Amino acid sequence: MSRSKTASAVQVRRTGGKSLKRRVLDNWQLYLMLLVPVVLTIVYKYIPMYGIQIAFRDYKASRGFMGSEWIGLEWFQRFFSAPTFWRMIKNTLLLSFYSLLWGFPIPIILALMMNQLRFQRFKRMTQTVLYAPHFISTMVICGMLRIFLSPSGGLINLIAGTSIDFLTESAAFRTIYIASGIWQDAGWGIIVYMATLANVDTSLYEAAKVDGASLFQRIRHIDIPELSSVMVLNLIMSVGGLMNVGFEKVWLLQTDLNKAVSDVIAVYVYQQGIENAKYSYSTAVGLFNTVINIILLVAVNKIAGKISKDTSFV
């Protein structure tokens, strides 16, 4: 029997010989449930893409999309020649890269530590404490940071015995941004890793103990290989959004004195599009940012695919 006939026979056995229409009718409830997110995705994600064309037009609301003059890449050229272009690119990349560098391994380390806890009540309490900051809004987080870092009565200055206004210090802005982000999201990030570790066969740990493996050896040879595929997937997703620095936190923490390191593309798009009503220009800047993210996502995905072929545990 040829390979194509064998594949067809296997497919028939898997589907019970039913046609596609028959299978859809038999499971219409599931397809109906699937229809809701598909429609929402089309309405809120794909249809708005029609408006991307204003990045190539001198958009006037009175003329509409098609009535506005087509000017090609003029807005992109204006952005590339802006005096703050390289500063924004540098700040965006550095904030994102440092956030990824310091923030990515923390949930993994926490998950490995939590997995070793044997007192379930203490484990649940610790998980709750770690999850809690994720549910605090960014605006409240920024308000807390301003209180803690206040030069007059702020907790940090009281402990250090100083009166420094950290939010006006350019050298401190990135540390504040990254540290607060880790505190807010690290606990929430351990959920997927904890779920993965929960599926590890306990007999592996028992066999490792019998063979005399230490705690760190069990983590290295059992836990980390089990997490590797999830780690690679999360890394790909994180790098795919490398240029998407959180606008809200930067905007709320930004001051005139730290603008040299806090001036990022997301804030620039908001200022040009909302404050200055330059819709075409801000759309062009946002589109440039999105294209860079897509390029990074595809590149990292290919690199991860090659690495997974060369390693036995990914």
Side-chain angles (χ1 to χ4, degrees), residues 246-314:
F247 155 76
E248 190 175 0
K249 186 189 290 185
V250 176
W251 176 252
L252 292 171
L253 296 179
Q254 189 179 73
T255 65
D256 291 336
L257 296 177
N258 66 25
K259 201 168 185 179
V261 295
S262 64
D263 195 12
V264 296
I265 293 178
V267 173
Y268 186 70
V269 170
Y270 173 81
Q271 291 172 335
Q272 298 299 318
I274 304 299
E275 293 184 351
N276 300 333
K278 297 179 180 179
Y279 305 118
S280 292
Y281 183 54
S282 62
T283 302
V285 177
L287 181 58
F288 164 79
N289 198 43
T290 302
V291 170
I292 297 299
N293 277 330
I294 293 174
I295 293 173
L296 289 172
L297 179 63
V298 172
V300 173
N301 190 34
K302 287 186 175 296
I303 293 172
K306 291 182 179 179
I307 293 175
S308 65
K309 292 178 181 179
D310 297 333
T311 54
S312 58
F313 59 89
V314 178

Side-chain angles (χ1 to χ4, degrees), residues 94-123:
L94 286 180
L95 270 181
S96 297
F97 176 74
Y98 287 145
S99 296
L100 181 62
L101 179 66
W102 294 106
F104 182 76
I106 298 298
I108 300 171
I109 296 171
L110 287 174
L112 292 172
M113 294 173 63
M114 293 284 293
N115 191 52
Q116 301 304 319
L117 295 178
R118 293 296 173 258
F119 298 100
Q120 292 301 317
R121 181 176 298 180
F122 178 73
K123 184 176 182 178

Side-chain angles (χ1 to χ4, degrees), residues 69-267:
E69 180 185 359
W70 182 273
I71 59 174
L73 300 176
E74 182 177 329
W75 296 122
F76 294 93
Q77 294 171 353
R78 181 176 298 186
F79 175 56
F80 297 150
S81 60
T84 58
F85 172 75
W86 289 111
R87 186 178 76 177
M88 287 187 292
I89 295 294
K90 176 185 175 182
N91 291 339
T92 302
L93 287 175
L94 286 180
L95 270 181
S96 297
F97 176 74
Y98 287 145
S99 296
L100 181 62
L101 179 66
W102 294 106
F104 182 76
I106 298 298
I108 300 171
I109 296 171
L110 287 174
L112 292 172
M113 294 173 63
M114 293 284 293
N115 191 52
Q116 301 304 319
L117 295 178
R118 293 296 173 258
F119 298 100
Q120 292 301 317
R121 181 176 298 180
F122 178 73
K123 184 176 182 178
R124 289 194 296 269
M125 182 183 69
T126 305
Q127 286 178 312
T128 302
V129 172
L130 292 174
Y131 295 164
H134 177 78
F135 299 99
I136 304 175
S137 70
T138 303
M139 183 172 291
V140 174
I141 292 288
C142 293
M144 294 169 61
L145 288 173
R146 289 188 175 275
I147 294 173
F148 293 153
L149 301 174
S150 172
S152 57
L155 180 62
I156 304 300
N157 281 300
L158 287 176
I159 294 174
T162 58
S163 57
I164 303 173
D165 190 355
F166 291 98
L167 289 177
T168 62
E169 297 287 336
S170 295
F173 178 82
R174 288 179 185 140
T175 301
I176 295 170
Y177 179 91
I178 295 167
S180 61
I182 292 174
W183 174 72
Q184 185 177 13
D185 296 324
W188 186 255
I190 72 173
I191 293 178
V192 64
Y193 297 116
M194 290 295 295
T196 303
L197 291 173
N199 293 323
V200 177
D201 189 353
T202 55
S203 63
L204 294 176
Y205 296 115
E206 295 171 359
K209 289 180 181 179
V210 171
D211 291 340
S214 65
L215 173 62
F216 292 104
Q217 288 175 328
R218 295 197 297 270
I219 292 174
R220 178 184 175 185
H221 296 289
I222 298 177
D223 292 342
I224 293 180
E226 188 71 24
L227 293 176
S228 60
S229 58
V230 180
M231 289 160 53
V232 171
L233 178 61
N234 284 343
L235 181 62
I236 292 172
M237 301 302 294
S238 298
V239 174
L242 196 63
M243 297 289 287
N244 291 336
V245 175
F247 155 76
E248 190 175 0
K249 186 189 290 185
V250 176
W251 176 252
L252 292 171
L253 296 179
Q254 189 179 73
T255 65
D256 291 336
L257 296 177
N258 66 25
K259 201 168 185 179
V261 295
S262 64
D263 195 12
V264 296
I265 293 178
V267 173

